[in-house]
């Protein structure tokens, strides 16, 4: 008789437990667009106390266009997502290169201390309103350099193909002798691009073999030469790739390069053109990275 009573108690407890756990929500149905995971319940003695839900952090990566050796140079920032990515990219651009970029001689032509007052976008044209610091110092180099940096940074976004400039709410029509007649576009500053632009990897990036190297170039017969140097500047890889256009036109290039090092160490990605005249390296771009085995 005691055994029968014990079994009855156990069965009743199991039935109660199943009833409490059986009707748990599974989260949003597929296709709802929710990026948050469904709430979960902590396996504690109290089934009515939910554990904190885990919300993934959305991230975004965008380009910043600075300068190197007098030409445009592109780098990237990755940070938590914001809908106002255009304004965020401009604020980051106005903040200037980070420490690693500055150590690699990356700079900016934009007058230090320039503040963004507003950004609006209409029919593909962005209106950038900057404070008066932007135009406080005017030279042709500052004008063309700073305008091109902002235009290239903003026109990375599909919704923007041209930029007009306001200073303190007043339309900027001449800056350092440069006439701004209507929206400024990338084509207006094509001559600010270097012969070889390296878009990846970025400065200070940790890489492994094979490392993807990409960018654009306008070089003789579209031949882009690449070397990887170890911490002692010994060559651990040497190769070349072809841009999609060359000798008077800009083309893109991308290739995977294998290398070998025994330990993690500082290294350099070296991209250049070989002179058709004497074989010497031309238009050399060096990107400091961290090489891993």
């Amino acid at each position: 008789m005691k055994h029968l009573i014990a079994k009855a108690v156990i069965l009743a407890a199991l039935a109660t437990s199943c009833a409490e756990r059986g009707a748990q929500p599974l989260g949003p149905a597929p296709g709802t667009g929710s990026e948050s995971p469904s709430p979960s319940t902590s396996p504690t003695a109290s089934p009515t106390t939910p554990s904190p839900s885990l919300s993934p952090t959305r991230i975004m990566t965008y380009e910043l266009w600075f300068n190197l050796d007098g030409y445009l140079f592109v780098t990237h920032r990755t940070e938590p997502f914001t809908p106002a990515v255009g304004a965020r990219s401009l604020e980051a651009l106005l903040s200037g290169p980070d420490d690693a970029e500055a150590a690699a001689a990356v700079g900016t032509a934009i007058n230090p201390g320039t503040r963004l007052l507003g950004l609006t976008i209409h029919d593909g044209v962005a209106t950038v309103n900057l404070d008066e610091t932007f135009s406080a110092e005017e030279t042709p180099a500052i004008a063309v350099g700073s305008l091109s940096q902002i235009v290239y940074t903003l026109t990375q976004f599909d919704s923007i193909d041209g930029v007009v400039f306001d200073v303190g709410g007043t339309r900027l029509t001449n800056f350092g002798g440069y006439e701004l007649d209507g929206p400024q576009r990338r084509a207006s500053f094509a001559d600010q691009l270097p012969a070889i632009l390296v878009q990846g990897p970025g400065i200070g990036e940790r890489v492994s073999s094979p490392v993807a190297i990409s960018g654009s170039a306008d070089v003789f017969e579209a031949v882009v030469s690449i070397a990887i140097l170890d911490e002692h500047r010994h060559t651990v890889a040497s190769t070349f790739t072809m841009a999609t256009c060359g000798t008077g036109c800009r083309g893109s290039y991308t290739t995977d390069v294998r290398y070998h090092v025994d330990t993690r160490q500082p290294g350099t990605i070296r991209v250049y053109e070989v002179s058709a005249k004497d074989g010497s390296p031309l238009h050399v771009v060096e990107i400091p990275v961290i090489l891993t085995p």
Side-chain angles (χ1 to χ4, degrees):
M1 185 65 177
K2 291 180 179 179
H3 291 298
L4 291 175
I5 292 173
K7 289 182 178 179
V9 171
I10 292 170
L11 290 172
L14 289 172
T16 302
S17 175
C18 290
E20 290 176 346
R21 295 181 301 177
Q24 296 297 320
L26 298 178
T32 61
S34 173
E35 293 191 21
S36 299
S38 61
S40 60
T41 302
S42 177
T44 65
S46 175
T48 60
T49 304
S51 63
S53 60
L54 300 176
S55 299
T57 300
R58 295 178 62 189
I59 62 172
M60 61 183 184
T61 298
Y62 55 85
E63 299 173 356
L64 296 180
W65 287 80
F66 293 117
N67 62 43
L68 178 66
D69 295 332
Y71 292 97
L72 286 167
F73 177 85
V74 65
T75 186
H76 300 84
R77 296 287 186 271
T78 299
E79 57 188 54
F81 174 80
T82 174
V85 63
R88 180 67 197 106
S89 67
L90 278 185
E91 290 168 350
L93 180 69
L94 297 178
S95 295
D98 63 22
D99 291 344
E101 293 160 352
V106 175
T108 179
I110 299 173
N111 285 322
T114 297
R115 293 186 301 113
L116 176 66
L117 302 180
L119 172 66
T120 59
I121 303 169
H122 180 69
D123 287 342
V125 176
T127 299
V128 180
N129 187 18
L130 302 164
D131 75 346
E132 294 180 355
T133 307
F134 178 71
S135 56
E137 185 177 351
E138 296 188 46
T139 68
I142 289 175
V144 174
S146 56
L147 293 172
S148 63
Q149 285 181 231
I150 292 173
V151 168
Y152 269 76
T153 295
L154 281 178
T155 55
Q156 70 183 285
F157 305 112
D158 292 339
S159 59
I160 301 174
D161 58 28
V163 182
V164 294
F165 292 82
D166 288 350
V167 172
T170 301
R171 185 58 41 88
L172 185 65
T173 57
N174 185 291
F175 184 23
Y178 182 88
E179 296 290 336
L180 290 82
D181 51 350
Q184 304 298 299
R185 295 180 165 83
R186 287 197 173 196
S188 307
F189 303 101
D191 60 349
Q192 296 302 299
L193 289 171
I196 297 175
L197 178 71
V198 179
Q199 294 178 279
I203 291 174
E205 186 174 330
R206 184 176 63 182
V207 301
S208 59
S209 180
V211 54
I213 301 172
S214 63
S216 67
D218 179 359
V219 293
F220 180 67
E221 293 188 345
V223 179
V224 178
S225 296
I226 298 169
I228 299 179
L229 312 179
D230 68 9
E231 61 183 334
H232 304 295
R233 294 191 66 82
H234 296 153
T235 301
V236 293
S238 181
T239 187
F240 70 90
T241 190
M242 304 297 294
T244 55
C245 195
T247 315
C249 66
R250 178 167 293 272
S252 60
Y253 66 87
T254 182
T255 188
D256 292 339
V257 181
R258 295 190 177 276
Y259 67 88
H260 174 76
V261 293
D262 293 323
T263 61
R264 173 174 168 163
Q265 60 189 271
T268 304
I269 306 294
R270 196 170 195 243
V271 186
Y272 58 101
E273 176 186 3
V274 174
S275 169
K277 179 181 179 180
D278 57 15
S280 61
L282 302 174
H283 313 302
V284 178
V285 180
E286 293 195 345
I287 306 295
V289 296
I290 302 298
L291 302 175
T292 61

